[in-house]
Each structure stands twice: as structure tokens, then as C-alpha cells.
Amino acid sequence: MAPPDMNAIQVAHREKKTWSDVWALSMVSLLRFGMDTATGYSHPTEEAKKMGSWLGLSKVKSWFGPSPMTERKWLIRFLFLESVAGVPGMVAGSVRHLHSLRRLKRDNGWIETLLEEAYNERMHLLTFMKMAEPGRFMKTMIIGAQGVFYNMFFMSYLFFPRACHRFVGYLEEEAVLTYTRAIHDIEAGRLPKWQKLEAPEIAVKYWNMPEGHRTMRDLLLYIRADEAKHREVNHTLGNLEQKNDPNPFVSEYEDPVRPHPSKGIENIKPTGWNREEVI
């Protein structure tokens, strides 16, 4: 993963086109409200206001309050976000695994990508756990949120997998926005404790971070790139025929010149690939 590619990651939003998109975006709005409340998030920026408008939450005053985001508040937000983000890939992968066993058919490469996503999100969480230990209240919030979210996502994925992938795509849009705001805060000098802070050893080994590129800013660039990839993957999977279409991110393409989905971020498409582009 080349640093120029990571620096090129942009905040993006896929406009809702169907009723399932409306449902997915509404659920992300609700989750965002709960997460903002639980983590004390407040970031008065025009970009945050724009995203709030996308999600229908522009009137939520706590988003734009005067209280600045400190290093501790950012870490709490990261921990809460990653404890939730690690659920969908595991749920979807396990449901599709059992579905493949029942049908006695191959899954066309979806399971591996979904489980890789869940593992990647867990590594994000473990990395931040090396930097901050959440308090008892936050641990209780995480347990409660996971218990509710896991079961709701499981039941939803059984009947509406396409909408669930769209939901995750919108959720990852939020993740990219969150890490982009944190990176900008570091660059603006608003988080002095992170200016020279080195990434934990677990992160250095997982991302194979080179010497001289192991700061907190570098770490957030790697994590933001991961979230941007999950955003692309889930928006793309939400565009496909769920039972029969192959996973375009592990497929082989006859035309090597034409851009196509890949496991890297060199051809990343923030709002996802349409079905006619990959099938």
C-alpha cells in the first residue's frame, strides 16, 4: 500500500437510489447519533456538517458544540467505532458459509473477503486497545451495542443482504470521515500528544510500517485506507446479485488495461462498482 495512495483517500458519499438505500442510510443515522452521544463527539467543521446533512442529522447540536476533541476522546470514539465495525463481516461471512453448506454450492469468493474484513476491523480495535483502556461505562456501552447490533444485523442479513451491504458501505463512509477529521486535527496541531507518538508494535507488524513512517498520523492513514476499501467493497457487493454473482475483488479479468476491482486501493472507487462494470 503506497503512501501516495493512502494520502489520496477522500471522503465520499453514495446517493441513495432505492428504498433499501433509504433504510440503510436511516439506520446509519441512528447509529451515528448513538455513537456521538456515547463518545462525546463534537467536531465543528463544514465537512462534518455536510455529512450530517447527508444523514439528516444537521440539527443535532452536540455534533457542533464548542468542546474540542482531545486525544482521549478520539481514542474512545475509535474504540467504539471499531467494536461495531468488526461485526458485519463476521455475520455476513458466517451466514454465507452456512448458506453454501445448505445449497451444496460454492460461494463465489464472498466468504473470504467478508472474513478478512472482520479480521482487519478487529486488528484496528486491538491496535487502539494498546493505546487506551476504556472505562467501565464505555465497556458496558460496547457490550450493549454489540449485543443489540449483532442480532439485528444477523436477522437483517438473512432476509435483506443487499441492504445490509449498503448499510455497511454507509457506515464505512462515516469511518473514513472520522479518520480524516482526526488526521486533519493532527496536521493542524490540535492534538499535540500525537505529534511524535509512535504506533504500537502490533500495528507496525500488521501493516509492515516502514522506518520513518510509524507516527500516529501514519497509523491513521493506514486505518483510513482500510475503511475506504471496506466502503468500496460493501457498496459494490450491495450492487450485485447476492446468490449467483462472483466476488469481483477476487476475480480474474481478461482486460488488464481497463480499471477493475482489486484487493488494493490503486483503483479504488469510493461509491462502489456497478454490476455492469464487473460482471
Side-chain angles (χ1 to χ4, degrees):
M1 185 181 296
D5 292 331
M6 293 191 295
N7 281 296
I9 296 298
Q10 297 290 326
V11 172
H13 174 65
R14 180 187 175 90
E15 295 296 335
K16 52 186 181 292
K17 300 178 180 179
T18 67
W19 282 110
S20 64
D21 292 351
V22 173
W23 172 86
L25 197 54
S26 298
M27 291 300 101
V28 171
S29 301
L30 181 62
L31 184 62
R32 173 70 189 256
F33 176 77
M35 189 178 299
D36 287 349
T37 302
T39 62
Y41 181 68
S42 176
H43 207 282
T45 66
E46 290 304 317
E47 194 168 84
K49 292 178 182 179
K50 185 177 181 181
M51 180 60 103
S53 176
W54 284 340
L55 299 177
L57 294 176
S58 57
K59 296 183 179 180
V60 178
K61 301 298 183 182
S62 61
W63 276 29
F64 318 119
S67 178
M69 290 295 288
T70 63
E71 293 88 348
R72 175 68 180 179
K73 289 176 72 174
W74 273 122
L75 282 174
I76 292 299
R77 182 168 183 81
F78 295 160
L79 287 166
F80 197 85
L81 173 65
E82 299 300 346
S83 70
V84 171
V87 171
M90 182 59 66
V91 172
S94 62
V95 169
R96 293 190 68 92
H97 169 73
L98 295 175
H99 189 60
S100 176
L101 296 180
R102 290 196 304 272
R103 297 177 67 203
L104 303 178
K105 292 184 178 180
R106 298 186 63 176
D107 185 64
N108 293 321
W110 289 49
I111 295 173
E112 291 81 358
T113 293
L114 293 168
L115 294 184
E116 286 173 2
E117 177 184 311
Y119 177 76
N120 178 253
E121 298 286 12
R122 189 171 68 89
M123 290 304 298
H124 295 174
L125 179 63
L126 293 178
T127 294
F128 291 129
M129 285 293 294
K130 290 292 184 179
M131 303 175 64
E133 179 69 23
R136 186 173 299 177
F137 172 76
M138 182 53 59
K139 288 182 178 179
T140 302
M141 292 292 294
I142 289 173
I143 292 173
Q146 187 181 94
V148 173
F149 181 61
Y150 182 97
N151 288 288
M152 289 184 65
F153 194 85
F154 173 74
M155 293 303 298
S156 298
Y157 199 85
L158 287 176
F159 300 102
F160 310 106
R162 186 193 301 269
C164 287
H165 285 297
R166 185 72 68 221
F167 167 86
V168 179
Y170 285 134
L171 185 65
E172 298 296 356
E173 290 181 6
E174 288 287 348
V176 172
L177 175 65
T178 289
Y179 289 114
T180 298
R181 296 267 57 85
I183 291 168
H184 288 174
D185 274 5
I186 294 175
E187 294 171 343
R190 289 190 284 268
L191 302 173
K193 295 179 182 178
W194 284 358
Q195 291 298 322
K196 297 183 178 180
L197 180 67
E198 293 235 340
E201 186 64 22
I202 186 175
V204 173
K205 291 181 177 179
Y206 178 68
W207 283 284
N208 194 25
M209 300 173 71
E211 288 281 354
H213 295 277
R214 297 177 178 177
T215 66
M216 187 64 182
R217 178 182 179 277
D218 294 317
L219 173 62
L220 295 186
L221 285 174
Y222 278 96
I223 294 177
R224 184 181 66 171
D226 288 343
E227 305 293 9
K229 191 63 187 180
H230 302 327
R231 175 184 64 185
E232 176 197 33
V233 167
N234 281 280
H235 275 318
T236 300
L237 296 183
N239 293 335
L240 302 181
E241 169 58 47
Q242 302 294 295
K243 291 185 178 180
N244 300 313
D245 284 347
N247 176 4
F249 295 95
V250 297
S251 300
E252 296 183 2
Y253 295 86
E254 295 180 356
D255 184 358
V257 178
R258 179 184 175 186
H260 56 76
S262 67
K263 288 191 173 184
I265 61 172
E266 60 276 0
N267 293 325
I268 197 165
K269 194 169 184 179
T271 57
W273 298 79
N274 294 323
R275 188 172 186 269
E276 57 272 15
E277 296 177 298
V278 297
I279 301 300

